[in-house]
Amino acid sequence: MLNPDFEQGNASNWLTNDSVSIIEASTEKVHSGAYSGKITGRTDSWNAPLHSLVGLLEQNKAYQMSAWVKLVNSSD
């Protein structure tokens, strides 16, 4: 995958599913490393970061993916 995480401080290969949302690399709240992804301007709870896997996955193969997500209003 191209830019599978935000750890390099680059959000250029990420999209959102709402034209109002803005996605960027941020140093405000990180899980590990120096950067995390930050979305602002969400208008609904389903607005999220997207990364296209078109042309990257092969049929009949298993893939494992993981994500760490923190909501702004979270106490952690």
Side-chain angles (χ1 to χ4, degrees):
M1 287 177 53
L2 299 173
N3 190 24
D5 58 39
F6 297 99
E7 296 298 327
Q8 280 80 46
N10 183 357
S12 63
N13 289 316
W14 289 86
L15 308 166
T16 63
N17 54 358
D18 185 330
S19 61
V20 178
S21 298
I22 298 170
I23 191 163
E24 61 185 324
S26 172
T27 58
E28 292 176 33
K29 299 282 183 177
V30 299
H31 178 61
S32 63
Y35 296 93
S36 63
K38 179 179 179 182
I39 296 180
T40 55
R42 292 176 57 210
T43 57
D44 282 302
S45 61
W46 53 266
N47 299 147
L50 303 173
H51 196 289
S52 177
L53 300 176
V54 173
L56 299 176
L57 304 180
E58 295 181 33
Q59 187 174 348
N60 299 319
K61 287 198 173 184
Y63 295 88
Q64 181 176 344
M65 296 178 209
S66 65
W68 183 79
V69 177
K70 181 180 183 339
L71 298 176
V72 171
N73 297 333
S74 173
S75 60
D76 292 325

